[in-house]
Amino acid sequence: MFKVLVSDPISDLGIQQLVDASDIAVDKKPGLSEDELVAIIGEYDALLVRSQTRVTAKIMEAGKQLKVVGRAGVGVDNIDLDAATQRGIIVINAPDGNTITTCEHTFAMMMAVARHIPQAYMKTVNGTWDRKSFLGVELRGKTLGVLGMGRIGSEVAKRAKAFDMEIIGYDPFMTEERAEKIGVKLASVDDIVRNADFMTVHTPLTPETRHMIGRAQFEVMKPGMRIVNCARGGIIDEIALVDAVDQGIVAGAAFDVFEVEPPAEDHPFLTHPKIIVTPHLGASTIEAQENVAIDVSEQVIHILRNEPFINAVNMPPIPANLQSILQPYFTLGEKLGSFIAQSTEGAVTEIVVGFSGELAEVDTQPLTRHIVRGVLAHHLGTEQVNVVNSMHLAKVRDVNIVIQKSHASKDFTNLVTVSLRTKKEERIVAGTLLTGYGPRIVQIDKYPVDVTPEGNLILISHNDKPGIIGRVGTLLGNNDVNIATMQVGRQLVGGSAIMVLRVDKGTPKEVLDQLIRMPELNTAKEITLF
Ligand SMILES: NC(=O)C1=CN([C@@H]2O[C@H](COP(=O)(O)OP(=O)(O)OC[C@H]3O[C@@H](n4cnc5c(N)ncnc54)[C@H](O)[C@@H]3O)[C@@H](O)[C@H]2O)C=CC1
Ligand SMILES: O=C(O)CCC(=O)C(=O)O
């Protein structure tokens, strides 16, 4: 039974599928401190959070069983991604479910700042009927500058057109074609600052976007600008903004997010008459909270059940078309990696992965992660290594990963070749998927073979001499080890050869030792593939 901890308030309806899953037990414990989480996280396989819980390295370290941290929302700045990756914990988010809601909140804030709605409300409910102080401005005909034209920024731009606004946008990944399609004129940050009447930011907070609107930008800003931040505190320099409002450069600002949340009691935004605030409510609608919880719950279930999943933040995404090509090779890749690691001695220094045939045409990175996982799991344990941290673990252990691609594949539609170099030896194994038959190992070192990569195998290298196969069979039979299948590979009659035996159960070490002592037999290794 998998255990999932929900440590922030997350929509009950959204997590219903987790609650209903017969193999999953869900505990809801919102509001725990870091120490409280550290004390209990060890028993959980998955952690679900919104933005309140800070998922620190200390929590990951204590989460010995933790396979996935699910963020019901977009931003993962409350999760230590490096710590997660190092520990092989998958971090997923729900990037689509709150886009419209946050876009709508941006408009609520834009209109509220244009028409002084919070200030007018406060005065009215406090008994003052003041119709003079709150002269606003229209959105119609104004220029809106959008910084960050991703999901939310693009939706904001679309809706701004309905208000008859001119939209200028900046995003390093925005193409002219896409900008044209959504009716946005591409501009630089400087153009936006100098020309916009309203400006809204929709980027993540990164070293590059931190204070991307600061003193230098306020100095050249179009006077009377109104600014909205429903993305992340810190994209706009808060102190510089207050000064710009006081100097009359900025006519008003609406902030949903703060550099530190919640803000200190004496934060200047909280008492400023021209700055309006909400407590990080961008994603707070019934619809968005259900959407993000449904999305993240679905993926957590997939991950716990070892099924394909999407939206991993600490792993490159696999496009759907690629997923269907690569997915069938994942198991083969891990098995080839495991086979070669089990059959090779010495510290691993290099893994050379070769793809030929159709596989050479596509981005095979996700498959490489599985192969490297297969190799490293033999040395570091299957619990320690997964596809999230396999490349990282290889790097920190100075294992060189080399990728080779060849478009021609002589005998197979696709061939995956793994060569392992260790301080002692080098070995090659190659495999493919045979239509109707499944995964096969088709080459071990220089020998062609046809081995189903599963169960208990014995890999023997020997000299091709009459009687050796019989002697091996007799020795195993005498020790109650039943042979299910046998493959022999050789290049020359009487030369060196290999034998791959599939046996019904594990082979005791003393039996392997007896095999190795046989004349003409060089090595015998047990390999287990499940
Ligand atoms: N207030 C709230 O409750 C919510 C806040 N957010 C925040 O809103 C932001 C945007 O979310 P989405 O649109 O879903 O993300 P997204 O990933 O779809 O879009 C972000 C865009 O910012 C662009 N970008 C990155 N660096 C940039 C730079 N230096 N200059 C200009 N553009 C840059 C990226 O290319 C990308 O297109 C995120 O920070 C997210 O955490 C999202 C949901 C709710
Ligand atoms: O969970 C929340 O309400 C915060 C949403 C948010 O900031 C995000 O999704 O990035």
Side-chain angles (χ1 to χ4, degrees), residues 74-75 95 98 102 148-153 170-173 202-204 208-209 212 230-232 256-257 280-283:
V74 183
N98 62 25
T102 310
M149 297 284 310
R151 286 174 291 259
I152 299 169
Y170 172 68
D171 189 309
F173 295 106
H202 299 286
T203 70
E208 201 192 322
T209 61
M212 74 189 287
C230 287
R232 280 292 177 271
D256 182 45
V257 285
H280 203 145
L281 292 183

Side-chain angles (χ1 to χ4, degrees), residues 238-459:
E238 292 175 346
I239 303 305
L241 172 78
V242 172
D243 291 347
V245 180
D246 290 341
Q247 289 160 23
I249 299 167
V250 172
F255 271 58
D256 182 45
V257 285
F258 294 80
E259 289 195 23
V260 177
E261 294 183 5
E265 272 175 27
D266 61 350
H267 191 291
F269 283 10
L270 304 185
T271 47
H272 202 291
K274 291 188 174 169
I275 300 178
I276 63 173
V277 292
T278 45
H280 203 145
L281 292 183
S284 290
T285 62
I286 294 167
E287 295 86 349
Q289 286 314 306
E290 270 174 30
N291 290 341
V292 291
I294 288 170
D295 291 350
V296 87
S297 299
E298 220 167 75
Q299 297 313 313
V300 164
I301 292 174
H302 286 315
I303 290 168
L304 293 179
R305 292 182 183 160
N306 228 352
E307 295 164 356
F309 57 91
I310 53 170
N311 296 336
V313 177
N314 53 349
M315 261 172 78
I318 309 176
N321 60 333
L322 204 55
Q323 177 90 30
S324 60
I325 298 170
L326 295 182
Q327 175 77 31
Y329 286 90
F330 287 163
T331 310
L332 172 71
E334 288 204 15
K335 288 188 172 185
L336 290 177
S338 181
F339 183 97
I340 202 163
Q342 292 183 60
S343 57
T344 312
E345 280 174 17
V348 180
T349 55
E350 186 165 80
I351 305 169
V352 182
V353 182
F355 301 102
S356 50
E358 288 170 358
L359 283 176
E361 314 285 336
V362 299
D363 175 5
T364 40
Q365 259 190 68
L367 179 51
T368 303
R369 289 168 171 270
H370 281 269
I371 294 167
V372 174
R373 175 182 193 248
V375 174
L376 297 190
H378 171 60
H379 298 280
L380 305 174
T382 44
E383 290 297 307
Q384 300 301 317
V385 192
N386 60 23
V387 288
V388 176
N389 63 3
S390 60
M391 301 304 272
H392 164 81
L393 292 175
K395 193 168 167 209
V396 296
R397 280 167 176 75
D398 288 330
V399 176
N400 197 23
I401 311 285
V402 179
I403 308 297
Q404 293 174 342
K405 291 198 174 183
S406 149
H407 298 280
S409 174
K410 205 160 50 90
D411 299 316
F412 303 98
T413 318
N414 283 306
L415 192 69
V416 181
T417 309
V418 187
S419 313
L420 196 68
R421 293 202 178 112
T422 72
K423 294 229 157 104
K424 278 186 150 176
E425 56 180 328
E426 183 176 345
R427 171 142 251 167
I428 299 178
V429 61
T432 192
L433 291 183
L434 293 182
T435 315
Y437 296 95
R440 285 287 193 280
I441 295 176
V442 295
Q443 183 192 335
I444 298 171
D445 297 333
K446 54 193 173 187
Y447 309 105
V449 292
D450 178 7
V451 175
T452 304
E454 66 183 29
N456 298 296
L457 305 174
I458 304 172
L459 174 65

Side-chain angles (χ1 to χ4, degrees), residues 89-328:
I89 298 169
I90 303 165
V91 178
I92 50 162
N93 69 350
D96 300 308
N98 62 25
T99 300
I100 301 302
T101 279
T102 310
C103 161
E104 290 182 2
H105 193 67
T106 303
F107 272 97
M109 295 295 261
M110 206 177 342
M111 303 203 75
V113 78
R115 303 299 292 270
H116 314 287
I117 288 172
Q119 297 93 330
Y121 168 81
M122 285 304 290
K123 242 183 174 172
T124 311
V125 296
N126 285 330
T128 309
W129 187 253
D130 177 2
R131 299 185 62 232
K132 283 197 226 82
S133 306
F134 301 119
L135 192 63
V137 290
E138 285 186 352
L139 301 190
R140 180 179 55 163
K142 301 292 186 314
T143 298
L144 171 66
V146 184
L147 292 177
M149 297 284 310
R151 286 174 291 259
I152 299 169
S154 301
E155 292 298 333
V156 167
K158 268 198 228 166
R159 283 157 182 74
K161 283 171 67 189
F163 282 96
D164 275 343
M165 300 183 92
E166 290 291 317
I167 304 119
I168 54 177
Y170 172 68
D171 189 309
F173 295 106
M174 186 69 146
T175 59
E176 286 281 357
E177 298 77 59
R178 185 157 154 66
E180 201 174 311
K181 204 167 156 205
I182 53 175
V184 175
K185 207 169 132 216
L186 284 187
S188 65
V189 177
D190 194 56
D191 287 340
I192 291 174
V193 162
R194 289 175 191 271
N195 298 306
D197 303 294
F198 287 82
M199 182 169 74
T200 179
V201 294
H202 299 286
T203 70
L205 179 67
T206 63
E208 201 192 322
T209 61
R210 173 172 290 282
H211 292 186
M212 74 189 287
I213 303 299
R215 292 203 183 274
Q217 287 68 35
F218 288 118
E219 270 172 25
V220 295
M221 192 166 275
K222 181 173 179 180
M225 167 98 79
R226 288 173 173 80
I227 298 178
V228 178
N229 184 359
C230 287
R232 280 292 177 271
I235 298 170
I236 296 167
D237 180 341
E238 292 175 346
I239 303 305
L241 172 78
V242 172
D243 291 347
V245 180
D246 290 341
Q247 289 160 23
I249 299 167
V250 172
F255 271 58
D256 182 45
V257 285
F258 294 80
E259 289 195 23
V260 177
E261 294 183 5
E265 272 175 27
D266 61 350
H267 191 291
F269 283 10
L270 304 185
T271 47
H272 202 291
K274 291 188 174 169
I275 300 178
I276 63 173
V277 292
T278 45
H280 203 145
L281 292 183
S284 290
T285 62
I286 294 167
E287 295 86 349
Q289 286 314 306
E290 270 174 30
N291 290 341
V292 291
I294 288 170
D295 291 350
V296 87
S297 299
E298 220 167 75
Q299 297 313 313
V300 164
I301 292 174
H302 286 315
I303 290 168
L304 293 179
R305 292 182 183 160
N306 228 352
E307 295 164 356
F309 57 91
I310 53 170
N311 296 336
V313 177
N314 53 349
M315 261 172 78
I318 309 176
N321 60 333
L322 204 55
Q323 177 90 30
S324 60
I325 298 170
L326 295 182
Q327 175 77 31

